[in-house]
Amino acid sequence: MHSPHRMTATQLLSAYRDKSLSPLDYAESLIAHIERWEPHLNALYAYRPEAFVAAARASSERWARGEPCGNLDGVPVTLKELIATCGLPVPGGTGLGEQPKASEDAPPAARLAEDHALLLAKTTCPDYGMLSSGLSSFHGLTRNPWNLACNTGGSSSGAGAAAAAGYGPLHLGTDIGGSIRLPAAWCGVVGFKPTLGRIPIDPYYVGRCAGPMTRSVDDAALMMTSLSRTDRRDAMRLPPESVDWTDLRLEVKGLRLGVMLEAGCGLPLEAPLRQAVELAAQRLEAAGATLVPLAPVMNREMLDGLDRFWRARQWSELEALTPTQRERVLPAILAWAEDGARLSGVEVVRGFQQTLNMRRATEAVFEQVDAVISPTTPNVAFPADWVSPTNDPQRPFEHIVYTLPWNMGEQPAISLNGGFSDAGMPLGVQLIGPRFADHLVLKLAKALEARLELAPRWPSPP
């Protein structure tokens, strides 16, 4: 079969059912594909092809008997390194010496294992997941497959690169300020951050979500059938809900779609991204949506306040390290977090208060509209070895202004590819819905995906 690594998960399952392809056939082809790419990308951690092939062989036997187990039997998946899997350490992007091995799967890993998805590997992330970059003191540098000189973004950096390069169809990232959607945008794939608690996660935290990173909206929806099942380890989880995630039919006519082109602070929006969002909005308007211009929900006080809180939170972790361990942390993380030691308790509390201010501002938007469309990132691309689009540890969050507020507001948001720049780099478009309207966001993304009519494009191996 020609280029099986380009098949979606839904196509793979169909091929398994009609016996035109087996999980083992696919696994062997995928390993050969990864061998061509991985020396250049560095997207994987704990990649164990022998174990992957053994699991694929067992899946093939189940399919041959007509007895597949679970919704994803035989479909490869990668998990971001921060998502614990039993028997593997969780280095957190930072090489602090010998790390204890996880004693159990985190909730998202457990759900995928229950449905017999095949764990291909873990994927890289930067130190503590606190950079939107492919740079890590432990993993090294992860590069963007569309241009190896460009950054993947992060912190789900390896997942974005792996999805773009075709390391199988399903990838799982995490997102506390844009860490799924930002690399999805810069790598030209789909990245879905659900409502907080829709996908149980452990450890849980304010704004922290796990979510699919895939090549199609259909595959993101397919992953939700597994990931959305409940798990009591997440005390912030939502009540179980019966949803047919794979039913993505939507009548766009009559929807009020807010168009938010300005972020309110941070980096200015580059012209190709503005044009991509305007085109996407026009396509939905042509399908019957009413476009409503929206003012920004963010401001400088919100961004700087949360920056101060996060510096103090990060310093509380770094302070617990030995001097030797601290020296191993990426210098940019140290330079940023050290200011947290000098902040007063009052300053830190006032910084955290901005999460609630963002929540109030984002929730108010949906008094006016049913959904929002915006850029995912303000910039098209940045160098692979930079720690952020500013490359300035004192201005680390100027690029997350379109994504961050929806984490603090807990709304579902998805990034999908809206086209390419003249230089061939992907342009991310973001859709956001009100809290709990995860299915609506996926349906709207599917409608937009169909109407953009982008011809499939794949990066060429070096």
Side-chain angles (χ1 to χ4, degrees), residues 166-239:
Y167 287 17
L170 304 182
H171 308 270
L172 188 68
T174 63
D175 190 318
I176 199 170
S179 289
I180 288 171
R181 290 157 290 156
L182 294 168
W186 280 312
C187 294
V189 300
V190 173
F192 180 46
K193 180 204 79 70
T195 301
L196 184 74
R198 178 69 69 203
I199 297 175
I201 192 168
D202 182 32
Y204 50 86
Y205 197 73
V206 176
R208 185 172 189 248
C209 301
M213 298 178 70
T214 63
R215 269 284 187 158
S216 70
V217 177
D218 282 333
D219 277 1
L222 178 65
M223 288 187 78
M224 290 300 294
T225 64
S226 300
L227 296 169
S228 61
R229 294 198 297 269
T230 194
D231 193 306
R232 287 192 175 275
R233 287 176 287 174
D234 185 349
M236 301 172 76
R237 72 195 181 284
L238 296 180

Side-chain angles (χ1 to χ4, degrees), residues 1-23 25-27 29-30 33 74-77 162-171 213-216 218-220 222 456-458:
M1 183 174 291
H2 179 66
S3 301
H5 68 274
R6 297 188 178 186
M7 297 173 72
T8 66
T10 49
Q11 290 169 338
L12 269 184
L13 290 168
S14 178
Y16 295 164
R17 278 190 290 270
D18 66 23
K19 295 183 169 52
S20 60
L21 186 70
S22 74
D25 294 334
Y26 182 81
S29 172
L30 185 59
H33 175 71
V75 180
V77 64
Y167 287 17
L170 304 182
H171 308 270
M213 298 178 70
T214 63
R215 269 284 187 158
S216 70
D218 282 333
D219 277 1
L222 178 65
R457 289 177 65 172
W458 290 82

Side-chain angles (χ1 to χ4, degrees), residues 86-100:
C86 186
L88 287 174
V90 184
T94 302
L96 300 179
E98 191 69 23
Q99 300 288 312

Side-chain angles (χ1 to χ4, degrees), residues 133 135 151 267 332 382-396 399:
S133 172
L135 187 61
N151 210 296
L267 293 175
F382 63 105
D385 59 353
W386 283 19
V387 295
S388 73
T390 63
N391 205 33
D392 181 353
Q394 299 308 317
R395 298 171 61 239
H399 59 288

Side-chain angles (χ1 to χ4, degrees), residues 80-82 91-96 99 125-131 135-139 155 174 176 179 208 313-321 325-326 328-330 333-334 336-337:
K80 186 176 180 178
E81 182 246 277
L82 296 179
T94 302
L96 300 179
Q99 300 288 312
C125 69
D127 295 48
Y128 294 96
M130 283 306 300
L131 293 177
L135 187 61
S136 161
S137 62
F138 178 71
H139 299 294
S155 61
T174 63
I176 199 170
S179 289
R208 185 172 189 248
R313 177 174 174 256
Q314 185 63 57
W315 183 251
S316 73
E317 295 192 39
L318 296 176
E319 191 178 38
L321 302 179
Q325 287 177 320
R326 206 174 300 153
R328 295 175 177 172
V329 176
L330 205 67
I333 293 287
L334 290 173
W336 166 71

